[in-house]
Amino acid sequence: MSEFKKTNCHFCGYLCGFVAEVEKGRVIDLQPDPTRYPYDPRILAGCRRWPMNLEVLDHEDRINYPLRRLGERGSGQWERVSWDEALDDIAARLEELRQTYGPQTLASMIGGPHTSFWPLHRFMTLFGSPNNMGIGQICWNPRIWMDVLTFGWTVEADITEDTGCVIIWGTNPAESDNSMFWRRLLEIGRSEVPLIVIDPRRTRTAAAADLWIAPKPGTDCALALGLLHVLIDEDLVDHEFVDAWCHGYEELVAHVAPWTPEVVAEICDVPAEDIRRVARLFGSAATAALISGRGIDQVGESVAPTHRAICCLRAITGNVDKPGSCVLAEGSDFIAEGDLEGTYEHFEALNERCLNTPYTPLQCYEGLAKAEALTERLGRKLPGRYLTSAHPDLVLQAMETGEPYPVRALIVEATNPLLTYADTHRVYKALKGLDLIVVLDYWMTPTAALADYVLPAAGAIERPTFQAHGGVANIAYGGPAAVAPYYERKTDYEIFRLLGLRLGQAEQWPQETFEEAIAYTLSPTAQTWEDYSDSGIYFRPYGYAKHEQLNEEGIPQGFATTTGKIELASEFLPQVGGTRLPVPGKRRQLCSPEFIKEKTAEGWTSIDLITGARKQPYNASMYFQNQAFRQKSPEPVVEMSEATAARLGLEAGDGVVLATDQGEARFKVAIVVMRDDVINADYGWWHPEWSCEEPALGGMWESNINCLTSCSLDQGEPMIGTWSYNALDCMIKKDDRPLSWEPGFSREA
Ligand SMILES: Nc1nc2c(c(=O)[nH]1)N[C@H]1C(S)=C(S)[C@@H](COP(=O)(O)OP(=O)(O)OC[C@H]3O[C@@H](n4cnc5c(=O)[nH]c(N)nc54)[C@H](O)[C@@H]3O)O[C@H]1N2
Ligand SMILES: Nc1nc2c(c(=O)[nH]1)N[C@H]1C(S)=C(S)[C@@H](COP(=O)(O)OP(=O)(O)OC[C@H]3O[C@@H](n4cnc5c(=O)[nH]c(N)nc54)[C@H](O)[C@@H]3O)O[C@H]1N2
Ligand code: SF4
Ligand SMILES: [Mo]
């Protein structure tokens, strides 16, 4: 007899609902669930990943039992141990290290939003360490910071019938976000509403647009300043809104005066007339929306000013919190991650040990406290652990040198840092020197291969899901597990809880299962776990013009900023080393002059580089196990325009090697439509079918673009510490050596 259970796919952040047919605790079939958010047949038809759920549940390469290292680190020799053996030993070793070096000796690494990270963060908090690393400086957070400090909270695009113009800036939802949002953009592209895409590559999103602007990478701040100049010059400003709700308009006017379209055209290498056209389309629409992404999140020094300038574009055109523009999210009704993590409760201890403080005065506990003092006025809690996450340059340094204190242990959850963190050689060396590494993953990865323990994580379908975006919006989606985890896998929550119980944290983990923890998270709301499981979503529609709502004293609540208004000129940022108004930063230089000279003499050419632009079907270093995907996209590629290829003497399919001071990686050339002065290299490539032991580490040294990148603070953004994966430089040369991805390649040859 089979049963039918609701559950969710988690192969992307969209978490589509499914119905699983379950027999004797095993899923025998899985079908889309039309009754639950966010069902859309077009999305499922366009998604190549979901059928993989069944295969992955019981894939022969999955890790099913706790593994303990035998032999040298990386030697690939493991023994299966029981959970008790593994957790008792890990806890004992962590306790010993804590006694010797203090709790800050434990660091952690996380990746993209593959799971709920607050259980790890809670564990770290209670252990006493602030040293969680991850996406805190490069994915999502720079935008959160600048939105919060300009508007008092985060903003989201609200594309409705009212929307009269859309700008998509440095994001390519056609590949990165196969969701309703992309479907909506396609409709906009076909309608009368102008759709503008700003991207050095002619992406599928750009192809759907009315206007494609391709600035030189990393010049977006100048472009935004140029747009502001035109809006002001041509009086496309919503004066009523600006007078009532914006602070520092006159300062902004003076600031952008020199940024004429002609000046900006020179910097960005786009026609001045295009800059005027974009400004006119955006400024003359009654309502306009603007969405940005990774293309401007990961550009080092310029990240904060670019986001600030974009905030100003929305504000002076009045496109804030009105239907069809960009709306302020609301704090969550359910318990926010900041509270689940215990960050605020243990603030003092974490702050004392925080490595970031003097280096990145915003991305640290002191910066968080200053921002929190503003947002708490409207009762909103920031996801503290992301916004304070430790800078990898500093943590790696503490691993390498023991300064300012030794970091000797590492927990790695849902990330593959040897492929996805900057400067692979450095990460590799640092990991090799540690006393204890614990990895939680589904698979043996190159990173897991270096661990002392690999713990088998339960995936979607086997665990409940609750995607809450750090609690910066009043929405969460997901649903229940269809089955108990297969074999001896456990949910990430349970693993951290069981470890916590062994380290004196018993009282802080009252909920035994992740399901109970989610039910507790929902407890302040009217929705129960059962309601949530049934509908697949917690959502309360947001209101508009919330700044006009009257507070208890009968005056409009305004914006949760220093001045209560939208801060075009920031009163806050100078307190943390920033400027009142956006000023573009310098670009990251990965190649030293000596290196360029030496390589040039050897026949290499210098060229601009962007990395990791999203493509289906892979996701960072994931899904390379899928044979159908591998057939469809068999080789790591570097994209370039036809003119660039001709200039470099290359043709489609040629092998090339890219290099910087940090290292090298090899790719195949693909010819696409994009700017002529830049190339785009894939990221995440390794061979899951090879064994992960040293020295091959799953083949990850060959085509790993992060062998070239760097997270060093010296050229990072000074308040947050953002490093660059875009707007980079590298050297390139043709390389005829066969790549291991080619058919017939033999490892022995
Ligand atoms: N298939 C797939 N989907 C994913 C992921 C994945 O790995 N694979 N990862 C997920 C994650 S972690 C994230 S953060 C999101 C990111 O999702 P997006 O923000 O949509 O990221 P990308 O698709 O890389 O789009 C960034 C775009 O910026 C452009 N760009 C690069 N440099 C510049 C620049 O200097 N200026 C401008 N204006 N544009 C620039 C690139 O050409 C690229 O098209 O995607 C998520 N979705
Ligand atoms: N050069 C370059 N580097 C980049 C980027 C870029 O564009 N260019 N993008 C950056 C960005 S935005 C991001 S977000 C990161 C992404 O970086 P990562 O998140 O490190 O990348 P993934 O390859 O998705 O690694 C996820 C790992 O987690 C495992 N996993 C998945 N789900 C779970 C789970 O529920 N529990 C556990 N325990 N494990 C799980 C997977 O098996 C996989 O090994 O990369 C960053 N690095
Ligand atoms: S769109 Fe994302 S969540 Fe939905 S089925 Fe595809 S991979 Fe899964
Ligand atoms: Mo990301």
Side-chain angles (χ1 to χ4, degrees), residues 539-561:
F539 176 62
R540 203 157 49 76
Y542 37 72
Y544 296 104
K546 294 179 278 293
H547 48 280
E548 290 175 1
Q549 285 168 12
L550 303 184
N551 63 17
E552 279 161 12
E553 288 121 55
I555 50 175
Q557 69 172 29
F559 296 88
T561 59

Side-chain angles (χ1 to χ4, degrees), residues 465-466 477-479 522 527-537:
T465 42
F466 189 79
Y477 40 88
L522 285 166
Q527 218 183 66
T528 61
W529 160 256
E530 285 73 24
D531 302 331
Y532 167 77
S533 299
D534 208 49
S535 64
I537 185 166

